[in-house]
Amino acid sequence: MSGATQPDTSKPDLPQRCDVVVLLSGTGGNLQAMIDRFQDGSCPARIRAVISNRADAYGLERAKHAGIDTRVLDHTAYEGREAFDAALVELIDSFSPKLVVLAGFMRILTPGFVRHYHGRLLNIHPSLLPLYKGLHTHQRAIEAGDTAHGCSVHFVTEELDGGPLVVQAVVSVELHDTPATLAQRVHAREHLIYPLAIHWFAEGRLALGKEGVTLDGQPLGPRGHLIPATQPGSSL
Ligand code: GAR
């Protein structure tokens, strides 16, 4: 009789592991949220590597602390965007990820890069897109007198901050908010919705097709899945 362990065929098939490469340039709060969310193994997503264009990005320290491979690819060492993005593609693909996520990666990506990862490149942005693409989103929302602000996860296309939406979380703007206080509450919601979107993708539930973004085979609306603002004191 052989002592080899046989696979347990009585259990339903577990979803295949989904390797993820994270690109960042800064603090890595969103990376930390992913690390925390995926550490219990209940989600098939595994952060395979973290790549930064800045050697001093604190997100790299968070990754190392969690035992994740890190790489630095300094954009200033390249002649231009095309050359940097080509090297970045080569580096990312050396980890064979199923999904690439931008988590505060402050670089404009070339069309070739975006096309290469079509349908498997996600970004998070600190506004209720299509409002306030670009920078200083919290300040712009306050200056406009908005009562609702928030954050969005979307598939990346060639249009900056313009790809199809996956999920948005709404945050109420309070009378005495400053950009800093508002940012803090938006970040807390980012840390909820980004791991959620990655979890959906990793389980094969989220896709970008000809009919737009689908979740469990059903098209999501133009704003994606919408998470309303919570009442003060709520745990969500
Ligand atoms: C996040 O607020 C993210 O939405 C934003 O950068 C911050 C990164 O924070 N991204 C963009 O503005 C992209 N257009 P983190 O380093 O703590 O995750």
Side-chain angles (χ1 to χ4, degrees), residues 26-30 104 106 124-126 161 187 190:
T27 316
N30 278 288
M106 302 316 249
I124 189 152
H125 185 75
D161 296 329
H187 286 155
E190 291 189 10

PDB file of all heavy atoms in Angstrom, residues 26-30 104 106 124-126 161 187 190, ligand 1:
ATOM      1  N   GLY A  26       3.464  55.330  -2.596  1.00  0.00           N
ATOM      2  CA  GLY A  26       3.465  56.049  -1.320  1.00  0.00           C
ATOM      3  C   GLY A  26       3.234  55.194  -0.100  1.00  0.00           C
ATOM      4  O   GLY A  26       3.810  54.110   0.061  1.00  0.00           O
ATOM      5  N   THR A  27       2.327  55.680   0.736  1.00  0.00           N
ATOM      6  CA  THR A  27       2.124  55.150   2.085  1.00  0.00           C
ATOM      7  C   THR A  27       1.694  53.697   2.140  1.00  0.00           C
ATOM      8  O   THR A  27       2.042  52.974   3.083  1.00  0.00           O
ATOM      9  CB  THR A  27       1.026  56.008   2.772  1.00  0.00           C
ATOM     10  OG1 THR A  27       1.299  57.371   2.481  1.00  0.00           O
ATOM     11  CG2 THR A  27       1.012  55.814   4.257  1.00  0.00           C
ATOM     12  N   GLY A  28       0.847  53.304   1.220  1.00  0.00           N
ATOM     13  CA  GLY A  28       0.430  51.900   1.182  1.00  0.00           C
ATOM     14  C   GLY A  28      -0.679  51.541   2.152  1.00  0.00           C
ATOM     15  O   GLY A  28      -0.784  50.382   2.576  1.00  0.00           O
ATOM     16  N   GLY A  29      -1.524  52.503   2.484  1.00  0.00           N
ATOM     17  CA  GLY A  29      -2.671  52.195   3.339  1.00  0.00           C
ATOM     18  C   GLY A  29      -3.589  51.164   2.685  1.00  0.00           C
ATOM     19  O   GLY A  29      -4.096  50.250   3.350  1.00  0.00           O
ATOM     20  N   ASN A  30      -3.788  51.297   1.389  1.00  0.00           N
ATOM     21  CA  ASN A  30      -4.641  50.322   0.688  1.00  0.00           C
ATOM     22  C   ASN A  30      -3.972  48.949   0.634  1.00  0.00           C
ATOM     23  O   ASN A  30      -4.637  47.926   0.781  1.00  0.00           O
ATOM     24  CB  ASN A  30      -4.981  50.813  -0.722  1.00  0.00           C
ATOM     25  CG  ASN A  30      -6.135  51.795  -0.701  1.00  0.00           C
ATOM     26  OD1 ASN A  30      -7.286  51.428  -0.475  1.00  0.00           O
ATOM     27  ND2 ASN A  30      -5.816  53.067  -0.912  1.00  0.00           N
ATOM     28  N   GLY A 104      -2.444  53.807  -5.294  1.00  0.00           N
ATOM     29  CA  GLY A 104      -1.692  55.035  -5.100  1.00  0.00           C
ATOM     30  C   GLY A 104      -0.419  55.010  -5.929  1.00  0.00           C
ATOM     31  O   GLY A 104       0.636  55.441  -5.464  1.00  0.00           O
ATOM     32  N   MET A 106       1.363  56.752  -8.550  1.00  0.00           N
ATOM     33  CA  MET A 106       1.171  58.094  -9.091  1.00  0.00           C
ATOM     34  C   MET A 106       1.944  58.295 -10.397  1.00  0.00           C
ATOM     35  O   MET A 106       2.822  59.154 -10.506  1.00  0.00           O
ATOM     36  CB  MET A 106       1.553  59.145  -8.039  1.00  0.00           C
ATOM     37  CG  MET A 106       0.739  59.002  -6.755  1.00  0.00           C
ATOM     38  SD  MET A 106      -1.027  58.718  -7.022  1.00  0.00           S
ATOM     39  CE  MET A 106      -1.707  60.246  -6.447  1.00  0.00           C
ATOM     40  N   ILE A 124      -7.882  52.466  -7.705  1.00  0.00           N
ATOM     41  CA  ILE A 124      -8.776  53.119  -6.747  1.00  0.00           C
ATOM     42  C   ILE A 124      -8.528  54.608  -6.819  1.00  0.00           C
ATOM     43  O   ILE A 124      -7.382  55.057  -6.969  1.00  0.00           O
ATOM     44  CB  ILE A 124      -8.601  52.577  -5.315  1.00  0.00           C
ATOM     45  CG1 ILE A 124      -9.714  53.128  -4.414  1.00  0.00           C
ATOM     46  CG2 ILE A 124      -7.221  52.881  -4.728  1.00  0.00           C
ATOM     47  CD1 ILE A 124     -10.059  52.233  -3.250  1.00  0.00           C
ATOM     48  N   HIS A 125      -9.629  55.371  -6.735  1.00  0.00           N
ATOM     49  CA  HIS A 125      -9.527  56.829  -6.852  1.00  0.00           C
ATOM     50  C   HIS A 125     -10.366  57.474  -5.764  1.00  0.00           C
ATOM     51  O   HIS A 125     -11.493  57.044  -5.511  1.00  0.00           O
ATOM     52  CB  HIS A 125      -9.997  57.273  -8.243  1.00  0.00           C
ATOM     53  CG  HIS A 125      -9.809  58.735  -8.475  1.00  0.00           C
ATOM     54  ND1 HIS A 125      -8.570  59.293  -8.721  1.00  0.00           N
ATOM     55  CD2 HIS A 125     -10.687  59.761  -8.454  1.00  0.00           C
ATOM     56  CE1 HIS A 125      -8.706  60.608  -8.850  1.00  0.00           C
ATOM     57  NE2 HIS A 125      -9.980  60.908  -8.695  1.00  0.00           N
ATOM     58  N   PRO A 126      -9.829  58.545  -5.128  1.00  0.00           N
ATOM     59  CA  PRO A 126     -10.531  59.131  -3.987  1.00  0.00           C
ATOM     60  C   PRO A 126     -11.605  60.150  -4.368  1.00  0.00           C
ATOM     61  O   PRO A 126     -11.577  61.304  -3.931  1.00  0.00           O
ATOM     62  CB  PRO A 126      -9.394  59.791  -3.200  1.00  0.00           C
ATOM     63  CG  PRO A 126      -8.398  60.159  -4.238  1.00  0.00           C
ATOM     64  CD  PRO A 126      -8.497  59.130  -5.329  1.00  0.00           C
ATOM     65  N   ASP A 161      -8.446  57.893 -15.053  1.00  0.00           N
ATOM     66  CA  ASP A 161      -9.520  57.814 -14.044  1.00  0.00           C
ATOM     67  C   ASP A 161     -10.899  57.672 -14.693  1.00  0.00           C
ATOM     68  O   ASP A 161     -11.908  58.100 -14.124  1.00  0.00           O
ATOM     69  CB  ASP A 161      -9.508  59.065 -13.126  1.00  0.00           C
ATOM     70  CG  ASP A 161      -8.226  59.164 -12.309  1.00  0.00           C
ATOM     71  OD1 ASP A 161      -7.657  58.119 -11.969  1.00  0.00           O
ATOM     72  OD2 ASP A 161      -7.792  60.299 -12.028  1.00  0.00           O
ATOM     73  N   HIS A 187     -10.500  57.396   3.132  1.00  0.00           N
ATOM     74  CA  HIS A 187      -9.514  56.303   3.180  1.00  0.00           C
ATOM     75  C   HIS A 187     -10.103  55.067   3.851  1.00  0.00           C
ATOM     76  O   HIS A 187      -9.889  53.940   3.392  1.00  0.00           O
ATOM     77  CB  HIS A 187      -8.247  56.728   3.927  1.00  0.00           C
ATOM     78  CG  HIS A 187      -7.385  57.649   3.127  1.00  0.00           C
ATOM     79  ND1 HIS A 187      -6.508  58.537   3.692  1.00  0.00           N
ATOM     80  CD2 HIS A 187      -7.281  57.825   1.793  1.00  0.00           C
ATOM     81  CE1 HIS A 187      -5.901  59.227   2.736  1.00  0.00           C
ATOM     82  NE2 HIS A 187      -6.350  58.806   1.579  1.00  0.00           N
ATOM     83  N   GLU A 190     -12.070  53.375   1.357  1.00  0.00           N
ATOM     84  CA  GLU A 190     -11.194  52.751   0.348  1.00  0.00           C
ATOM     85  C   GLU A 190     -10.733  51.389   0.843  1.00  0.00           C
ATOM     86  O   GLU A 190     -10.691  50.418   0.081  1.00  0.00           O
ATOM     87  CB  GLU A 190      -9.958  53.621   0.077  1.00  0.00           C
ATOM     88  CG  GLU A 190     -10.242  54.917  -0.635  1.00  0.00           C
ATOM     89  CD  GLU A 190      -8.967  55.625  -1.079  1.00  0.00           C
ATOM     90  OE1 GLU A 190      -7.879  55.036  -0.998  1.00  0.00           O
ATOM     91  OE2 GLU A 190      -9.067  56.789  -1.506  1.00  0.00           O
TER      92      GLU A 190
HETATM   93  C1  GAR B   1      -5.471  56.711  -2.113  1.00  0.00           C
HETATM   94  O1  GAR B   1      -6.298  57.676  -1.511  1.00  0.00           O
HETATM   95  C2  GAR B   1      -5.881  56.491  -3.553  1.00  0.00           C
HETATM   96  O2  GAR B   1      -7.256  56.602  -3.742  1.00  0.00           O
HETATM   97  C3  GAR B   1      -5.135  57.578  -4.264  1.00  0.00           C
HETATM   98  O3  GAR B   1      -3.879  57.601  -3.630  1.00  0.00           O
HETATM   99  C4  GAR B   1      -4.044  57.260  -2.258  1.00  0.00           C
HETATM  100  C5  GAR B   1      -3.016  56.206  -1.903  1.00  0.00           C
HETATM  101  O4  GAR B   1      -3.044  55.960  -0.522  1.00  0.00           O
HETATM  102  N1  GAR B   1      -5.021  57.328  -5.664  1.00  0.00           N
HETATM  103  C6  GAR B   1      -5.147  58.266  -6.587  1.00  0.00           C
HETATM  104  O5  GAR B   1      -5.323  59.435  -6.331  1.00  0.00           O
HETATM  105  C7  GAR B   1      -5.040  57.753  -8.008  1.00  0.00           C
HETATM  106  N2  GAR B   1      -5.604  58.697  -8.938  1.00  0.00           N
HETATM  107  P1  GAR B   1      -2.278  54.736   0.115  1.00  0.00           P
HETATM  108  O6  GAR B   1      -0.839  54.806  -0.359  1.00  0.00           O
HETATM  109  O7  GAR B   1      -2.401  54.966   1.597  1.00  0.00           O
HETATM  110  O8  GAR B   1      -2.960  53.486  -0.357  1.00  0.00           O
END
